[in-house]
Amino acid sequence: MSWKIVTDSGCDFKDIGVPEKDLAFQNVPLTLQIGSELFVDDEGLDVEAMMDTLYEKSVPSKSTCPSPDAFLRAYQGADNIIVITITGALSGSHNSAQIAKQMLLEEHPNVNIHVIDSLSAGGEIDLLVLELKRLILSGLSFDQVLEAIERYQAKTRLLFILEHVDNLVNNGRLNKLVGKVVGLLNIRMVGQASPEGTLDLLHKARGQKKAIQATVNEMLAAGYQGGKIMITHAGNEKACQQLRDKLRDLFPKADIQFVNASGLCSFYSERGGLLLGYETH
């Protein structure tokens, strides 16, 4: 039985290293529009050039979710398909994936397919994808994988540190009053993905050092005990290193990785932003 993991650009991976012939991975890209220019968030995207365009041009910008047909094409060629999308509360990508699921089942009623709303983005989705890979390669059945990933998702969380929030505000993802504060006087926004998949502001921290300490405090309060961490960053590896060092002072054996943000995650977290996925207990 062949397997496929399908994500959208809420995941930062374009490849997860699955040479096994019975497991494939595919990322279905969102499209980012800055004025009249379109940027497809696939493996060919120059994220830095896209961000340069964003900051150089004072023009409206937005993201566009994949069509159901794009997801349907990604679903082809496997017996067991598990899909993870960016939070449905902030994007139509999850709805497109669900429509494509129904289209696939009309054509291939014997295929096993399940669509997961991550209620999140970035580092938390990355953790879910890596755990899915592990579960599938362990030889579990489709139903067993679904049960296990549901339990795992219940113990993962997302925190973020943002230096700029203009795009979130301009695209209706964040309150304008919050946006006026962040970016002034070296203020960072520390927040979380809520249980409903929206953005919750937790702290307005002055400077990176205080933002990192506030993030660590939130992780500990949520039940972090040294589990796996995946940090998505938009050109801010220094902050990742500082956060890793502070956490390893408390949990020396913690598995902490950082990855460059996808185009979508860079677009909304903006330069300097971090999206931190972590396991609780």
Side-chain angles (χ1 to χ4, degrees):
M1 298 287 282
S2 58
W3 291 79
K4 183 176 279 191
I5 300 170
V6 177
T7 66
D8 58 22
S9 302
C11 174
D12 301 287
F13 302 134
K14 300 299 185 284
D15 177 29
I16 58 171
V18 283
E20 293 80 2
K21 63 179 181 179
D22 291 330
L23 174 58
F25 172 78
Q26 192 158 345
N27 186 306
V28 182
L30 277 81
T31 300
L32 308 166
Q33 181 172 354
I34 303 171
S36 61
E37 295 191 54
L38 298 178
F39 299 85
V40 179
D41 192 11
D42 58 16
E43 62 279 355
L45 176 64
D46 185 333
V47 176
E48 283 302 308
M50 180 199 73
M51 295 305 293
D52 286 341
T53 302
L54 177 67
Y55 289 125
E56 288 167 1
K57 297 185 177 181
S58 298
V59 293
S61 60
K62 64 179 182 179
S63 60
T64 304
C65 69
S67 68
D69 281 341
F71 275 107
L72 181 60
R73 289 192 296 272
Y75 295 166
Q76 303 297 322
D79 303 301
N80 299 313
I81 306 155
I82 300 180
V83 190
I84 305 179
T85 71
I86 190 171
T87 172
L90 300 179
S91 172
S93 186
H94 181 72
N95 187 55
S96 285
Q98 290 282 24
I99 293 171
K101 171 186 171 179
Q102 298 307 316
M103 294 165 66
L104 180 73
L105 290 174
E106 289 175 5
E107 298 175 3
H108 305 286
N110 295 323
V111 167
N112 295 315
I113 180 169
H114 183 70
V115 180
I116 298 170
D117 185 342
S118 72
L119 302 172
S120 192
E124 187 174 2
I125 294 183
D126 300 342
L127 285 179
L128 294 173
V129 168
L130 293 178
E131 180 64 7
L132 265 182
K133 175 185 173 182
R134 188 191 71 80
L135 292 168
I136 292 168
L137 294 180
S138 73
L140 297 179
S141 69
F142 186 78
D143 288 341
Q144 288 171 330
V145 169
L146 294 187
E147 290 172 5
I149 199 64
E150 184 177 350
R151 290 194 300 270
Y152 184 76
Q153 185 178 8
K155 69 172 188 175
T156 60
R157 302 287 187 275
L158 181 81
L159 288 169
F160 50 84
I161 303 174
L162 304 180
E163 297 182 19
H164 310 282
V165 295
D166 293 342
N167 256 356
L168 286 171
V169 171
N170 292 339
N171 285 274
R173 269 71 171 182
L174 194 67
N175 186 285
K176 289 183 179 180
L177 293 177
V178 174
K180 289 181 179 179
V181 175
V182 179
L184 298 176
L185 303 175
N186 202 25
I187 296 293
R188 266 75 164 170
M189 185 176 92
V190 179
Q192 66 180 357
S194 73
E196 296 76 32
T198 57
L199 306 180
D200 279 355
L201 173 64
L202 298 173
H203 303 281
K204 295 186 288 290
R206 179 164 293 180
Q208 186 161 284
K209 183 177 179 180
K210 290 184 178 179
I212 287 173
Q213 185 60 59
T215 301
V216 172
N217 292 344
E218 287 294 334
M219 292 174 68
L220 296 175
Y224 179 71
Q225 298 177 2
K228 188 179 295 184
I229 297 171
M230 182 66 72
I231 309 173
T232 293
H233 70 95
N236 198 352
E237 191 165 324
K238 181 179 179 180
C240 294
Q241 293 168 345
Q242 292 172 338
L243 189 49
R244 178 191 61 193
D245 293 345
K246 187 167 285 290
L247 285 163
R248 283 195 175 152
D249 285 342
L250 300 171
F251 304 99
K253 296 183 179 181
D255 180 356
I256 304 171
Q257 301 177 56
F258 0 120
V259 294
N260 292 318
S262 66
L264 180 72
C265 290
S266 296
F267 184 79
Y268 283 115
S269 67
E270 298 195 52
R271 280 189 172 142
L274 304 183
L275 301 175
L276 184 150
Y278 67 102
E279 300 172 348
T280 52
H281 50 74

